[in-house]
Amino acid sequence: MEASRPLDALNAAKGKRVIVELKNGNQLLGNLKAFDIHINVVLENAEERSNGETKRKLGVVFIRGDTIIMISPE
Amino acid sequence: MEASRPLDALNAAKGKRVIVELKNGNQLLGNLKAFDIHINVVLENAEERSNGETKRKLGVVFIRGDTIIMISPE
Amino acid sequence: MEASRPLDALNAAKGKRVIVELKNGNQLLGNLKAFDIHINVVLENAEERSNGETKRKLGVVFIRGDTIIMISPE
Amino acid sequence: MEASRPLDALNAAKGKRVIVELKNGNQLLGNLKAFDIHINVVLENAEERSNGETKRKLGVVFIRGDTIIMISPE
Amino acid sequence: MEASRPLDALNAAKGKRVIVELKNGNQLLGNLKAFDIHINVVLENAEERSNGETKRKLGVVFIRGDTIIMISPE
Amino acid sequence: MEASRPLDALNAAKGKRVIVELKNGNQLLGNLKAFDIHINVVLENAEERSNGETKRKLGVVFIRGDTIIMISPE
Amino acid sequence: MEASRPLDALNAAKGKRVIVELKNGNQLLGNLKAFDIHINVVLENAEERSNGETKRKLGVVFIRGDTIIMISPE
């Protein structure tokens, strides 16, 4: 990865499986479909995890950027 | 879904039944009627759920975007 | 309601009795007199409810938009 | 009151005694002297109340808008 | 005080001893030296109080506006 | 370091190992790859620490700026 | 100090030892190297204090402005 701006790193992760960590302590896993400058994110084939356990399958999910702590390729 | 921007995913969900998860831990279910760039959302035939149980029927409801964690088609 | 933008739904509720749910868990009921793009809201003949009970009569009340979770016609 | 915008309602309350409810749960009572679009507010002859009891007399007080839940003529 | 805008009230308090109430519940007392539109404030001869007791002398202190609930001349 | 603006200090830390302290109390360690004016940050070879213990390896991680308290070269 | 704007006070403190109080209750001490209009701050020779005790030495540290309550020359 030769990203010089933070959003380049998200661009490089498009289509890949990522972990999105939320401010409420939960995690969402899914394929990174889209994001914007507010870090609003869309995941596909998503599932929600809490304390390491899958809580539910979500399919497509839109996540509001201001609830996100971090995003990391799995 | 071939969305390249997050709001495209919301657009694709218009008219469909979605789950809106709020920062206070509650969930709203309803038909996605409208949204804007702040992620202010209007649901129709909405109901509020808490811990998996329907708490009340709301009909039409306007939700302020900054209270939303995520939106997912049911 | 044929609203295509969220604020259209608020416009359609003008003059009607609405429930405004606040981030602190309280509810305000009243006739929707005015709102703006920040979702600042003015209610008339308002009363405050907490846990389903009327706490007090407020008459006219100005509510700052960033304290609002949702607004729904009664 | 024939206000069509929320700030018109505050304008109509200028000089009158109002209750300002704060996000920390306290209330300020005073004569509405001034406000701006951020809902920054100045009260005169103000007093602070908590749980219905007067805690202290404040005279003139400037209140930062983002700490305010609602404003209502007494 | 004939202020018609909230910042006029702060201007009238310049050089005078004011109480600044913070969102964390603490109070700062000092001479109002400067403020700006964000309500960033500088106090001189400042001291910090908690539960009515002086905790420490601070001399000059810069306070970030978004931590302030209210400002009142002593 | 002769930085005269805060972002110059981040620029000087590019490629170096830094500690990023988050508002939720956790720490992320990694090589500073990129940042922007919102203080959105990308770390490489990152790991998450809590109470001084490594919780997990993260590889590349994008951190949303508004969750960050401070950033310091190790 | 003849500052008429809040940032003038920070400018006067440049190079001097300051205490930065954070919203999480911790304190950072260090030499004020740089700041900007968001009150993002860089300290040199910094150390972190909690309840009056030095917790750790940090060297250079970048602090995000929105986590700061106040800044005061030691």
Side-chain angles (χ1 to χ4, degrees), chain D residues 14 22 24 26 28 33-36 38 40-44 48 56 58-64 66-67, chain E residues 1-7 9-10 19 21-23 27 37-39 65-73:
Chain D
K14 258 195 175 171
L22 302 182
N24 69 1
N26 288 353
L28 293 168
K33 179 72 185 176
F35 66 89
D36 61 22
H38 307 292
N40 293 322
V41 162
V42 173
L43 300 182
E44 291 182 313
E48 193 181 8
R56 53 180 168 145
L58 284 162
V60 175
V61 63
F62 171 96
I63 310 166
R64 204 172 186 272
D66 77 325
T67 68
Chain E
M1 193 178 79
E2 278 308 311
S4 63
R5 291 167 303 177
L7 296 198
L10 292 185
I19 303 175
E21 194 123 345
L22 302 182
K23 290 182 182 168
Q27 292 180 325
I37 56 163
H38 307 290
I39 323 301
D66 78 324
T67 67
I68 292 174
I69 294 178
M70 60 188 176
I71 302 171
S72 184

Side-chain angles (χ1 to χ4, degrees), chain A residues 70, chain F residues 26-28 47-49 53-56 58:
Chain A
M70 58 188 178
Chain F
N26 287 355
Q27 292 179 324
L28 294 168
E47 55 184 284
E48 192 181 8
R49 286 199 197 164
E53 279 176 44
T54 299
K55 281 174 58 182
R56 52 179 170 148
L58 286 163

Side-chain angles (χ1 to χ4, degrees), chain B residues 14 22 24 26 28 33-36 38 40-44 48 56 58-64 66-67, chain C residues 1-7 9-10 19 21 23 27 37-39 65-73:
Chain B
K14 258 194 176 170
L22 303 182
N24 69 1
N26 287 354
L28 294 169
K33 178 72 184 175
F35 66 89
D36 62 21
H38 307 292
N40 293 322
V41 162
V42 173
L43 300 182
E44 291 182 312
E48 192 181 8
R56 53 181 167 144
L58 284 162
V60 175
V61 62
F62 171 96
I63 310 166
R64 203 174 186 271
D66 78 324
T67 68
Chain C
M1 191 177 79
E2 278 308 311
S4 64
R5 290 167 303 176
L7 296 198
L10 293 184
I19 303 176
E21 193 124 345
K23 290 184 181 165
Q27 292 180 323
I37 55 164
H38 307 292
I39 322 301
D66 78 325
T67 68
I68 292 175
I69 294 177
M70 59 188 178
I71 302 170
S72 184

Side-chain angles (χ1 to χ4, degrees), chain C residues 40-42 60-63, chain D residues 1 3 5-16 18-20 32-41 68 70-73:
Chain C
N40 293 322
V41 162
V42 173
V60 175
V61 63
F62 170 96
I63 310 166
Chain D
M1 193 178 78
R5 290 167 303 177
L7 297 197
D8 293 341
L10 292 184
N11 220 39
K14 258 195 175 171
K16 297 187 184 154
V18 297
I19 303 175
V20 178
L32 183 59
K33 179 72 185 176
F35 66 89
D36 61 22
I37 55 164
H38 307 292
I39 322 301
N40 293 322
V41 162
I68 292 175
M70 59 188 177
I71 302 171
S72 185

Side-chain angles (χ1 to χ4, degrees), chain E residues 14-48:
Chain E
K14 258 195 175 171
K16 297 186 185 157
R17 200 133 187 98
V18 298
I19 303 175
V20 178
E21 194 123 345
L22 302 182
K23 290 182 182 168
N24 68 1
N26 287 355
Q27 292 180 325
L28 293 168
L29 275 82
N31 293 84
L32 183 59
K33 178 72 184 175
F35 66 89
D36 62 22
I37 56 163
H38 307 290
I39 323 301
N40 294 321
V41 161
V42 174
L43 300 181
E44 291 182 312
N45 301 316
E47 55 184 283
E48 193 181 8

Side-chain angles (χ1 to χ4, degrees), chain A residues 46-74:
Chain A
E47 54 183 284
E48 192 181 9
R49 285 199 198 164
S50 182
N51 298 319
E53 279 176 45
T54 299
K55 281 174 57 181
R56 53 180 168 146
K57 304 279 186 184
L58 285 162
V60 175
V61 63
F62 170 96
I63 311 166
R64 203 173 186 271
D66 77 323
T67 67
I68 292 175
I69 296 177
M70 58 188 178
I71 302 170
S72 183
E74 208 182 12

Side-chain angles (χ1 to χ4, degrees), chain A residues 1-7 9-10 19 21 23 27 37-39 65-73, chain F residues 14 22 24 26 28 33-36 38 40-44 48 56 58-64 66-67:
Chain A
M1 192 177 80
E2 279 306 312
S4 63
R5 290 167 304 176
L7 296 198
L10 292 184
I19 304 175
E21 193 124 346
K23 289 182 181 168
Q27 293 180 323
I37 56 163
H38 307 292
I39 322 302
D66 77 323
T67 67
I68 292 175
I69 296 177
M70 58 188 178
I71 302 170
S72 183
Chain F
K14 259 195 176 171
L22 302 182
N24 69 0
N26 287 355
L28 294 168
K33 179 70 185 176
F35 65 89
D36 62 21
H38 307 292
N40 294 322
V41 162
V42 173
L43 301 182
E44 291 182 314
E48 192 181 8
R56 52 179 170 148
L58 286 163
V60 174
V61 62
F62 170 96
I63 310 166
R64 203 174 187 270
D66 77 324
T67 67

